[in-house]
Amino acid sequence: VQLQASGGGLVEAGGSTRLSCAASRIILSTFISFNNMGWYRQAPGKQRELVARISSGGTINYADSVKGRFTISRDNSKKTMYLQMNSLKPEDSAIYFCNLDLPREGISWGQGTQVTVSS
């Protein structure tokens, strides 16, 4: 499995951006099988933290810090997960990573994409 994260960049505080995470080297039936996909972020000098997670069944969890501002979704037909980020704050600045947790194959990580929110 390979994950390719894209989107992000430099955004002004209060602005919006959308991240995408496209999965490849995985057949569709495996992608839509029981699994979890998630977005994590890591700011300089801090530990990687969970931002949002979505299961193949549609169960969603958000970190308290992003509730009401971020929306996670997935398009199984495109084998892609998204993170819509609104009302961005400088403290949202970080490298954002996506992952896919499959029961047999384990956890795969994307390469990370930088989001910088200017005040």
Side-chain angles (χ1 to χ4, degrees):
V1 180
Q2 285 189 338
L3 300 176
Q4 179 70 43
S6 60
L10 179 62
V11 186
E12 289 187 352
S16 300
T17 193
R18 188 177 80 158
L19 307 182
S20 299
C21 177
S24 60
R25 298 191 176 184
I26 181 172
I27 60 175
L28 184 58
S29 60
T30 299
F31 186 81
I32 64 175
S33 66
F34 180 73
N35 63 69
N36 290 302
M37 293 192 77
W39 287 100
Y40 291 72
R41 65 186 181 188
Q42 188 167 18
K46 295 188 176 181
Q47 289 189 331
R48 190 174 297 189
E49 62 176 0
L50 174 68
V51 175
R53 180 169 52 205
I54 183 169
S55 74
S56 51
T59 300
I60 292 173
N61 300 101
Y62 293 102
D64 288 342
S65 59
V66 306
K67 282 181 181 176
R69 301 187 298 121
F70 291 9
T71 302
I72 190 171
S73 62
R74 58 191 286 173
D75 185 335
N76 289 332
S77 67
K78 296 181 179 179
K79 294 185 283 185
T80 300
M81 174 180 64
Y82 304 97
L83 185 68
Q84 178 66 43
M85 307 164 66
N86 299 328
S87 302
L88 283 161
K89 305 175 181 179
E91 51 263 44
D92 293 319
S93 297
I95 299 174
Y96 283 71
F97 300 88
C98 59
N99 80 0
L100 171 61
D101 185 0
L102 295 168
R104 288 195 303 177
E105 292 82 350
I107 298 175
S108 300
W109 288 91
Q111 84 286 4
T113 184
Q114 178 73 48
V115 175
T116 303
V117 184
S118 62
S119 57

